[in-house]
């Protein structure tokens, strides 16, 4: 039995990269695998046929891996966080009263 050694490439001031996944996407994939393991256990405990559980989890796992790799390639290291932050910025601010602007004038002496 041979031991497998995986290379984790990390340069100075660079984020980690493992098998093409960059930065936080490694954690997303790990969390997804753990979630699939829990879903498999629940499906097995409630009595679904084993082969059905395996087929469902393998197909969900393949979808998860493809989606995570696609996000890693599309957004890169910080792009997903920037995209999510951009969605939280309001496009406009409505004010139906001038009261909040009246007291903003700075008095110069």
């Amino acid at each position: 039995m041979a031991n497998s050694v995986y290379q984790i490439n990390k340069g100075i001031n660079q984020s980690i990269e493992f098998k093409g996944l960059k930065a936080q996407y490694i954690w997303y994939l790990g969390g997804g695998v753990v979630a699939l393991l829990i879903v498999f256990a629940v499906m097995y405990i409630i009595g679904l046929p084993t082969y059905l559980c395996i087929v469902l989890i393998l197909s969900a796992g393949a979808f998860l891996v493809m989606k995570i790799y696609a996000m890693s390639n599309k957004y890169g290291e910080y792009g997903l966080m920037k995209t999510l932050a951009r969605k939280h910025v309001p496009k406009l601010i409505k004010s139906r009263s001038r009261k909040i602007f009246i007291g903003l004038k700075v008095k110069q002496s």
Side-chain angles (χ1 to χ4, degrees), residues 8-10 14-18 21-24 26-27:
I8 296 178
N9 300 322
K10 185 174 183 330
Q14 297 291 320
S15 63
I16 63 172
E17 181 177 336
F18 178 72
L21 287 179
K22 299 175 190 89
Q24 73 271 18
I26 297 169
W27 296 108

Side-chain angles (χ1 to χ4, degrees), residues 28-100:
Y28 296 162
L29 185 62
V33 169
V34 169
L36 287 175
L37 182 64
I38 292 170
V39 169
F40 176 80
V42 168
M43 289 184 345
Y44 184 76
I45 288 171
I46 64 173
L48 290 177
T50 306
Y51 290 116
L52 178 65
C53 296
I54 290 172
V55 168
L56 289 175
I57 294 301
L58 284 179
S59 60
F63 177 75
L64 173 75
V65 168
M66 289 188 316
K67 195 68 174 169
I68 296 290
Y69 269 96
M71 286 188 336
S72 178
N73 291 332
K74 180 178 180 180
Y75 295 113
E77 185 177 352
Y78 299 112
L80 182 62
M81 290 184 283
K82 288 180 181 180
T83 303
L84 293 175
R86 200 172 294 124
K87 288 183 179 181
H88 284 79
V89 175
K91 296 194 182 345
L92 60 98
I93 299 173
K94 291 184 181 179
S95 175
R96 300 188 191 279
S97 171
R98 296 187 321 147
K99 289 181 182 178
I100 58 173

